[in-house]
Amino acid sequence: MLKPVLRRLDQFSFLSKLRTALTFCFHAIPDAKPLRTFAGIALACLLPLATGALAADSGAAGFATKAAQAYMIEAATGTVLLAKNEDQGFSPASLAKLMTMDLVFDAVTKGQITFDTEYPVSEYAWRTGGAPSRTATMFASLKSRVRVEDLIKGVAIQGANDSCIILAEGMAGSEQQFAVSMTRRARELGMEKAEFGNSTGLPDGKSKVTAREMVTLATALQQSYPNLYPYFAQPDFEWNKIFQRNRNPLLGLDLGADGLATGFTEGEGYSIVASVERDGRRLFLALAGIASDKERTEEAKRVLEWGLTAFENRQIFAENEVIGAASVYGGTSRTVDLVAKAPVSVYIPISNPDRLSARIIYRWPLTAPVTPDTQAGTLRIFAGSRLLREVPLYTVQAVGEGSLSSRAVDAMLELGESLLFSWLWEKSAPG
């Protein structure tokens, strides 16, 4: 029963192809059958190619932020540059307005509404988010009608609460119903924890997001609506003869910032979601739980500058380069090659690269017949214990259904491997 293990080890020992002076370990970990992941299936490690030891927890792991929650990625590769309590929930405050903008941008893009569509200013919108509210407002007049484009400017530039409510009521009939759509849209974007109770982020005891989710949302806004996203960077907006500057404190700091929003919640502190683009690099950042407005600006600037200057892009695999192989049972071949559809790159610290490791995760075993160009697994790349990025992997060749005798042999091998790896799992399980 050891032969399948050794064969699997050989399949994934691709380290000789690595052309970087990095420590790179590779794990092939098929998904569990039935529902758990076998541990210790295969492991191949390459000692450092460069002279001198490489610290496993250096670089990004040594960078500290004052924020209680933080998450930052490089957009082109999806590499996670900073993560701290990134899945811990906090009240979004005005960051919730980014989800309001996503729904509005989506409706405009699909032609469901236009820039010239007009919505009325209800008394609820006026009192809750307008001049009487003493909150961020565009000062829309009671019982007037406002064009959608002007309402978008009110939200994106001024963070106006009245603009949000007017849009919510106009598009969904009520702010409550609009909030239901906000949470539903969050799930569509992969924001599994986010909850929205209103369109503004004003305290409601219900709304919650995470730093990771806010980066997901910011990324979607920039990538899905390139023609509408620039509203976030407009420097000012005047409505009802009242001139107001953009509330984003990063726009004038020569960082390359071009969005998105800030927030504050009593008892939880100050937050920000930001995007910068400089020298061909775009970063998305979410920070929350910061002590003051001034510290929020300083910390966001410091983190973004670090992200822009302390990393370099390193390609690990070329487009369509074979990364590994997955076991196939009952087929004319017992393995199928796996590739990524685009070059696989990560951002690593320039001065002291982290130790990289990778795992292929797939449903074990694949069953013949297997067709080419089918997503069959995922490549997960780590720096130390930090997950940097996930890349879908696709089958290269077709594997037809094998003969009756070969299927019988494979069934015996599958049974043997299942018993062996179940034993390994039980031995390694905690407690």
Side-chain angles (χ1 to χ4, degrees):
M1 289 193 295
L2 290 177
K3 286 184 179 180
V5 181
L6 297 175
R7 185 178 68 250
R8 193 184 304 271
L9 187 70
D10 291 337
Q11 292 166 7
F12 293 97
S13 297
F14 63 93
L15 299 170
S16 60
K17 300 180 182 179
L18 198 58
R19 293 178 292 274
T20 60
L22 300 175
T23 302
F24 200 96
C25 294
F26 193 89
H27 308 252
I29 303 185
D31 274 359
K33 183 180 182 180
L35 292 176
R36 63 189 179 191
T37 301
F38 291 118
I41 302 299
L43 172 63
C45 291
L46 185 66
L47 294 176
L49 294 172
T51 58
L54 297 176
D57 295 317
S58 61
F63 184 86
T65 175
K66 298 176 182 178
Q69 296 92 13
Y71 194 67
M72 181 168 65
I73 68 167
E74 190 279 324
T77 64
T79 302
V80 179
L81 306 183
L82 180 66
K84 177 183 178 183
N85 298 324
E86 68 273 21
D87 295 317
Q88 184 180 87
F90 62 91
S91 300
S94 287
L95 303 185
K97 293 164 185 170
L98 297 180
M99 183 56 75
T100 294
M101 283 293 90
D102 182 89
L103 290 180
V104 175
F105 287 176
D106 183 62
V108 170
T109 301
K110 292 177 178 177
Q112 296 169 349
I113 59 176
T114 72
F115 282 161
D116 292 324
T117 301
E118 292 185 345
Y119 290 132
V121 182
S122 68
E123 183 168 353
Y124 172 74
W126 180 71
R127 291 193 179 280
T128 305
S133 70
R134 299 184 181 276
T135 63
T137 177
M138 71 176 285
F139 294 98
S141 299
L142 177 63
K143 297 183 180 180
S144 65
R145 297 181 68 86
V146 185
R147 293 172 63 248
V148 163
E149 185 179 20
D150 294 319
L151 293 169
I152 288 174
K153 291 178 180 179
V155 180
I157 301 169
Q158 299 169 345
N161 291 313
D162 51 355
S163 301
C164 291
I165 300 172
I166 295 165
L167 284 164
E169 291 180 333
M171 291 175 61
S174 71
E175 188 181 25
Q176 183 179 12
Q177 189 57 45
F178 188 82
V180 172
S181 297
M182 292 170 70
T183 300
R184 182 169 58 246
R185 174 61 174 162
R187 297 294 177 271
E188 293 173 358
L189 292 174
M191 301 166 64
E192 295 300 327
K193 296 184 178 181
E195 294 286 342
F196 295 97
N198 57 47
S199 64
T200 61
L202 290 170
D204 64 1
K206 175 182 179 180
S207 299
K208 287 290 180 182
V209 296
T210 69
R212 185 198 300 270
E213 290 176 333
M214 294 313 299
V215 166
T216 296
L217 176 55
T219 303
L221 284 166
Q222 190 272 328
Q223 295 180 352
S224 300
Y225 314 108
N227 296 329
L228 299 172
Y229 183 79
Y231 280 112
F232 288 109
Q234 289 193 12
D236 51 59
F237 178 53
E238 181 177 342
W239 186 258
N240 206 11
K241 298 182 179 181
I242 299 173
F243 176 86
Q244 296 185 79
R245 296 194 180 278
N246 196 306
R247 289 176 174 266
N248 188 332
L250 302 180
L251 292 181
L253 299 184
D254 197 29
L255 277 170
D258 57 8
L260 297 157
T262 59
F264 169 73
T265 302
E266 193 73 40
E268 294 187 39
Y270 293 80
S271 57
I272 187 169
V273 175
S275 174
V276 298
E277 195 280 328
R278 194 167 80 194
D279 299 328
R281 298 183 181 184
R282 178 174 289 279
L283 307 182
F284 290 99
L285 169 69
L287 299 176
I290 301 176
S292 69
D293 186 7
K294 180 175 181 291
E295 188 173 278
R296 172 178 60 190
T297 302
E298 293 173 348
E299 186 68 358
K301 180 179 184 295
R302 186 178 73 91
V303 173
L304 288 167
E305 283 284 10
W306 170 73
L308 289 166
T309 60
F311 293 83
E312 65 179 351
N313 192 352
R314 190 68 62 86
Q315 182 173 302
I316 300 174
F317 296 103
E319 182 177 356
N320 293 322
E321 179 178 354
V322 174
I323 295 174
S327 293
V328 178
Y329 281 96
T332 53
S333 172
R334 286 181 176 164
T335 63
V336 61
D337 291 334
L338 300 176
V339 300
K341 289 190 173 182
V344 179
S345 300
V346 293
Y347 267 67
I348 60 172
I350 294 172
S351 60
N352 195 4
D354 291 343
R355 176 182 179 181
L356 296 184
S357 63
R359 296 174 182 173
I360 286 180
I361 309 295
Y362 69 97
R363 177 64 62 182
W364 173 78
L366 303 182
T367 304
V370 175
T371 57
D373 199 32
T374 299
Q375 184 175 345
T378 302
L379 176 68
R380 295 179 182 173
I381 304 173
F382 298 82
S385 60
R386 292 185 304 114
L387 177 63
L388 295 181
R389 62 175 303 194
E390 294 184 306
V391 181
L393 297 180
Y394 297 84
T395 54
V396 175
Q397 64 269 51
V399 179
E401 190 171 348
S403 63
L404 181 61
S405 59
S406 67
R407 294 200 303 271
V409 171
D410 282 351
M412 293 299 295
L413 289 174
E414 180 184 359
L415 176 61
E417 288 187 355
S418 296
L419 293 173
L420 172 62
F421 298 139
S422 294
W423 176 81
L424 288 173
W425 176 270
E426 297 300 336
K427 288 291 185 181
S428 63

